[in-house]
Amino acid sequence: MQINPQEFSVNGLGYTIRSAVACDAPALSEIRVRIDGETENLDREPGEAFIDTPGFEQMIRTDTERKRNLFLVAAVDDKIVGFSRCEGNPLKRFSHKVEFGICVLKDYWGYGIGKNLLQESISWADSNGIKKIALNGVLETNSKAIELYKKFGFEVEGVLKKDKVLADGTYYNTIVMGRFNDQL
């Protein structure tokens, strides 16, 4: 599915949040590897689960066509600096929910990009009758993300103990969170 582009200006930085389009695929392939190398908050090491340009083109095409999918990008001067994705499940028993993931280049943290990608995704979900947004998981040490999600109505649904081992050799928990909209 697609949304209308939204303009934002936070702390002197102007950016647009819009639906991903096919010509974004090369930049998305590159930025995903870069983001994976900037933080251990995500599931992947740099280059793991690599998605090439044709892979992103297919993902964008699928997400544009499917009513329960949404792929957003955040762009500063037409340069993609972050993205988020909501993916629905075609199985009827899961048709009420989508899974959500988000990432932003470290140079662009602190400008509300993650918050606004999240807000746009929630608005889209609520206006399309989606009852639940489930997070792919949040590393227990990512307190900024956990607080942001709670601010937008997400609740902790569980803890996956010793779920990830990071570069320091320590095992960390993954927090499972979800937002259920019972107003729909």
Side-chain angles (χ1 to χ4, degrees), residues 26-39 42 44-52 56 83 103 105:
L28 286 165
S29 182
E30 179 184 317
I31 193 176
R32 185 169 182 257
V33 172
R34 186 171 158 201
I35 288 172
D36 289 347
E38 291 181 335
T39 179
L42 302 175
R44 303 167 302 272
E45 295 282 330
E48 284 186 330
F50 178 73
I51 301 174
D52 60 9
F56 268 106
F83 62 93
C103 51
L105 284 169

Side-chain angles (χ1 to χ4, degrees), residues 108-129:
Y108 294 90
W109 291 2
Y111 294 101
I113 294 172
K115 177 185 81 131
N116 287 317
L117 283 165
L118 177 60
Q119 179 61 60
E120 291 300 314
S121 297
I122 289 171
S123 295
W124 166 80
D126 288 352
S127 66
N128 284 282

Side-chain angles (χ1 to χ4, degrees), residues 125-142:
D126 288 352
S127 66
N128 284 282
I130 294 167
K131 300 281 276 177
K132 182 174 183 177
I133 300 175
L135 298 176
N136 293 336
V138 182
L139 192 64
E140 69 179 321
T141 57
N142 193 352

Side-chain angles (χ1 to χ4, degrees), residues 26 34 149-150 183:
R34 186 171 158 201
Y149 291 129
K150 285 181 178 180
Q183 304 301 310

Side-chain angles (χ1 to χ4, degrees), residues 65-81:
E65 293 169 359
R66 290 192 180 156
K67 186 178 171 184
R68 296 238 181 256
N69 287 23
L70 181 68
F71 196 147
L72 299 178
V73 297
V76 175
D77 298 325
D78 294 322
K79 174 188 165 195
I80 296 174
V81 299

Side-chain angles (χ1 to χ4, degrees), residues 71-111:
F71 196 147
L72 299 178
V73 297
V76 175
D77 298 325
D78 294 322
K79 174 188 165 195
I80 296 174
V81 299
F83 62 93
S84 66
R85 187 163 182 250
C86 292
E87 183 178 19
N89 187 318
L91 299 176
K92 188 170 178 93
R93 292 180 181 175
F94 297 106
S95 65
H96 66 288
K97 72 176 187 171
V98 296
E99 290 195 12
F100 175 78
I102 189 169
C103 51
V104 177
L105 284 169
K106 196 169 192 172
D107 289 346
Y108 294 90
W109 291 2
Y111 294 101

